[in-house]
Amino acid sequence: MSSTSSASAPNRRSFLARSAAVAAVPAVAALAGGALAEPASAASLPDYAPIPKSALGPAVNAQGYFVGRVDKNLYWVTDSTYQAAFLTTRDGVVLFDAPPTIGHNLQRAIDEVAAANGVSSKVTHIVYSHHHADHLGASSLFGPNVTRIGHADTRRLLAEENDPARPVPDITFDTRYTLRTGGERIDLAWHGTNHTPDNSYIHFPGHDTLMLVDIVLPRWVPYDSFNLNEDVQGSIAAPATAMAYPWTHFIGGHMGRLGTRDDMTVYQRYVDDIIAGVKKALVAVDPAPFFAKYGDNSWAAVQQYQKAQVDYAAAPVIKKYLGVLAAADVYTASTTFVILESIRLDLGTDSQVHP
Ligand SMILES: [Zn+2]
């Protein structure tokens, strides 16, 4: 179902999407001690390719959210930048993640669906995908009498971070946990580190759906620097693990739409193309001119040499995916640099032993 007033003006919709996107990065003013250094001038900012229509989801309502059905009694809610999900059951609601940018709209979305279907709108459980504040920072809104479930490392990391907005999970698991409540079944699993050490797979066997957050953002390239993934090789491998599950609907935790198996395949090809480009660049780009130019300034030589490698690897990928994956021209270069470093440092490719 769609939210009650989803036919809002495009300007309102894009404004709200932008506010959520801005909330996702550290506040510049706070970092600068409360004062912005320079007034931004829109005219001097760079231009990028238009976003393909296939990357955009439904319009948000006047309150800034869209809620829709994924399958049967499983729903998703988005502010166009972040996503959460919830399952209505005969005994209450199970919520999956609580992004602070959606915040109080989570309960509004649940109330709307529950009222339309005549079921309880009381959240009884919150399942955590991983410990990051941008996906859990509204957890405390649901009070202390909710059962929170997450990976053992989610509990460990949240205990260290000690953020009152993100209460630690009451129930934890190491590799697998099946949540049975109100006649429903949800399978949680940990298949190794990827985006974070604790990032978990949330499978809905009765709803033909997989939720895996911060790995594949359907029809968008990853956020800056390969989504800041802590384990690069683990993150590259994660989509194949996701594809091994049976599902039709994918909840990626970000942007305004759900994903399909085709979306995940396109994303896998994009990453494979970056890897192939990096491997070519490691051989094709000659370091000599960079070291000749910069002499004893080793960092200047390395910076410019690696920039040339990244440009060599990323340029054909950007060209190929413009119009296919949104923002390919924005973030492909920074992701290519991260993958280049992982190929050098984690895999040892191009490592040479002094004779
Ligand atoms: Zn994250």
Side-chain angles (χ1 to χ4, degrees), residues 1 3 61 65-68 73-78 84-89 92-99 102-126 138 141-142 146:
M1 65 173 289
S3 48
N61 63 15
Y65 72 88
F66 169 85
V67 62
N73 54 333
L74 176 64
Y75 297 85
W76 67 296
V77 53
T78 183
F86 62 91
L87 193 60
T88 61
T89 81
V93 175
V94 185
L95 175 63
F96 300 86
D97 279 356
I102 307 178
H104 288 279
N105 280 339
L106 291 166
Q107 189 65 60
R108 286 190 193 103
I110 292 166
D111 289 346
E112 181 188 327
V113 165
N117 298 331
V119 295
S120 167
S121 65
K122 186 176 167 42
V123 173
T124 56
H125 298 75
I126 305 178
L141 297 182
F142 296 88
V146 171

Side-chain angles (χ1 to χ4, degrees), residues 109-181:
I110 292 166
D111 289 346
E112 181 188 327
V113 165
N117 298 331
V119 295
S120 167
S121 65
K122 186 176 167 42
V123 173
T124 56
H125 298 75
I126 305 178
V127 173
Y128 287 175
S129 65
H130 67 301
H131 72 104
H132 277 166
D134 61 333
H135 292 276
L136 298 186
S139 175
S140 63
L141 297 182
F142 296 88
N145 300 321
V146 171
T147 303
R148 293 174 171 86
I149 303 156
H151 187 260
D153 278 340
T154 307
R155 185 182 168 94
R156 175 181 62 80
L157 290 159
L158 288 175
E160 286 170 15
E161 289 157 4
N162 196 27
D163 174 4
R166 289 173 286 156
V168 300
D170 310 289
I171 297 173
T172 62
F173 63 95
D174 287 317
T175 52
R176 286 180 189 280
Y177 181 79
T178 295
L179 172 61
R180 285 189 173 86
T181 181

Side-chain angles (χ1 to χ4, degrees), residues 129-135 195-196 199 213-214 227 229 254:
S129 65
H130 67 301
H131 72 104
H132 277 166
D134 61 333
H135 292 276
H195 170 63
T196 53
N199 203 25
V213 169
D214 281 347
N227 237 349
N229 290 324
H254 274 287

Side-chain angles (χ1 to χ4, degrees), residues 46-283:
D47 292 312
Y48 292 104
I51 293 302
K53 289 238 177 336
S54 58
L56 299 174
V60 298
N61 63 15
Q63 283 122 323
Y65 72 88
F66 169 85
V67 62
R69 174 176 274 135
V70 181
D71 187 84
K72 291 179 281 205
N73 54 333
L74 176 64
Y75 297 85
W76 67 296
V77 53
T78 183
D79 58 13
S80 293
T81 304
Y82 279 87
Q83 300 176 353
F86 62 91
L87 193 60
T88 61
T89 81
R90 60 176 186 236
D91 295 335
V93 175
V94 185
L95 175 63
F96 300 86
D97 279 356
T101 57
I102 307 178
H104 288 279
N105 280 339
L106 291 166
Q107 189 65 60
R108 286 190 193 103
I110 292 166
D111 289 346
E112 181 188 327
V113 165
N117 298 331
V119 295
S120 167
S121 65
K122 186 176 167 42
V123 173
T124 56
H125 298 75
I126 305 178
V127 173
Y128 287 175
S129 65
H130 67 301
H131 72 104
H132 277 166
D134 61 333
H135 292 276
L136 298 186
S139 175
S140 63
L141 297 182
F142 296 88
N145 300 321
V146 171
T147 303
R148 293 174 171 86
I149 303 156
H151 187 260
D153 278 340
T154 307
R155 185 182 168 94
R156 175 181 62 80
L157 290 159
L158 288 175
E160 286 170 15
E161 289 157 4
N162 196 27
D163 174 4
R166 289 173 286 156
V168 300
D170 310 289
I171 297 173
T172 62
F173 63 95
D174 287 317
T175 52
R176 286 180 189 280
Y177 181 79
T178 295
L179 172 61
R180 285 189 173 86
T181 181
E184 304 293 337
R185 173 187 174 146
I186 304 115
D187 291 330
L188 310 181
W190 181 83
H191 294 295
T193 64
N194 48 65
H195 170 63
T196 53
D198 59 331
N199 203 25
S200 302
Y201 295 68
I202 302 166
H203 188 231
F204 302 85
H207 299 82
D208 208 12
T209 298
L210 182 75
M211 181 169 179
L212 174 64
V213 169
D214 281 347
I215 293 291
V216 177
L217 320 182
R219 293 286 162 177
W220 287 76
V221 299
Y223 170 68
D224 205 344
S225 306
F226 197 36
N227 237 349
L228 301 175
N229 290 324
E230 292 180 37
D231 179 341
V232 172
Q233 294 301 319
S235 300
I236 290 170
T241 305
M243 288 295 263
Y245 280 88
W247 54 267
T248 304
H249 316 290
F250 178 74
I251 304 168
H254 274 287
M255 315 318 271
R257 48 161 284 180
L258 297 173
T260 64
R261 296 184 79 88
D262 277 351
D263 292 337
M264 194 164 283
T265 303
V266 170
Y267 170 80
Q268 286 178 295
R269 276 198 215 114
Y270 168 78
V271 174
D272 286 347
D273 285 342
I274 292 176
I275 293 168
V278 163
K279 287 183 175 167
K280 270 198 243 167
L282 286 169
V283 180

